[in-house]
Amino acid sequence: MLTLLEKISDLNDLVLQGKALEAFEKYYHDEVVMQENENVPTQGKAANRQREQEFFSAITEFRGAHPLKVTVGEGITMVQWHYDYTHKNWGVRNYTQVSVQEWQDGKIIKEQFFYGN
C-alpha cells in the first residue's frame, strides 16, 4: 500500500506530465468536495470532473507548473504550486497556490485551493 507521500508525489508527477484528469480519476474519492479559496465548494466526483474539464479546456497557452513544496501529515497533504498559463476568460495567470488535500480510504475526500486574486 502506498504512503500518502508516494500518492501525492505520483499525483503531482501525473499533473506535470499533462495527465491531471487521469490523476483525478485515480486519486479522488467519489464523494470529493473541492473548493477555491472561500468560494462555494463543488460536491461530488462528477461535478468536480466537469469543473476540471472546463478549466483545462479553457487554457489557451500552458507555460508551466512546478510543485515548490510538499508536506504530508496524518490524513492530509499540502502542495505549494507555481502556475503560469493563459486562460481564455482570465488572461495571463502567473501565481503561487497552496492545495490542501484531506484523504479518506486512500483517496482525496476534500481539496481546497488557496491563492491570491
Side-chain angles (χ1 to χ4, degrees), residues 89-106:
N89 299 321
W90 309 332
V92 173
R93 299 285 291 143
N94 189 331
Y95 63 103
T96 300
Q97 166 183 294
V98 175
S99 304
V100 179
Q101 301 88 14
E102 295 178 30
W103 296 75
Q104 178 181 306
D105 303 323

Side-chain angles (χ1 to χ4, degrees), residues 21 24-25 44-54:
L21 294 174
F24 178 80
E25 295 302 330
K45 195 166 186 175
N48 278 295
R49 180 183 300 110
Q50 181 178 343
R51 187 184 62 77
E52 292 285 304
Q53 290 169 334
E54 288 170 1

